[in-house]
Structures are given as structure tokens and as C-alpha cells.
Amino acid sequence: ENIYWPDGGAPKGRFNVRVHCYTQRSGRAPIKFKVAIKVGNVVKEFTGQVSNDELADVHEFTMN
């Protein structure tokens, strides 16, 4: 999924980025994921894994 705001258009506040594996379709667990967060020209990447119906906290940040 992609969430995008134009420069200066993001709402102010605290953001919690999470990955939720609603349904495991491949039959293989755990499922690996990669999240990229770009603020301005800075990109941060996070990786992890989730199993069926698992919620993983990835990153928290604040927009001022």
C-alpha cells in the first residue's frame, strides 16, 4: 500500500507505521516485508516478518 502527501501537505501529528498480515495466502509463514518511509529527501527502510493475523510495529515518527 502507498500513502503519499505532496511536499508540505502531510498532516501534523504522530504516525505509527504497522504491518498487518490479514490472511496468509502463500501457505508459508512467516512472511517477510519491507517498508520504505520518505520524508523530504531522506528514505528510511525497515524489514521484518509477520505470520497469519499478526500485527508488527515498524516505526513511529512525528510530523511538525
Side-chain angles (χ1 to χ4, degrees), residues 4 9 19 27 51:
Y4 168 82
V19 172
S51 294

Side-chain angles (χ1 to χ4, degrees), residues 16-33:
N16 292 304
V17 179
R18 297 179 176 143
V19 172
H20 186 191
C21 179
Y22 288 99
T23 302
Q24 183 181 337
R25 297 180 187 174
S26 68
R28 294 175 292 173
I31 298 168
K32 295 180 182 180
F33 65 82

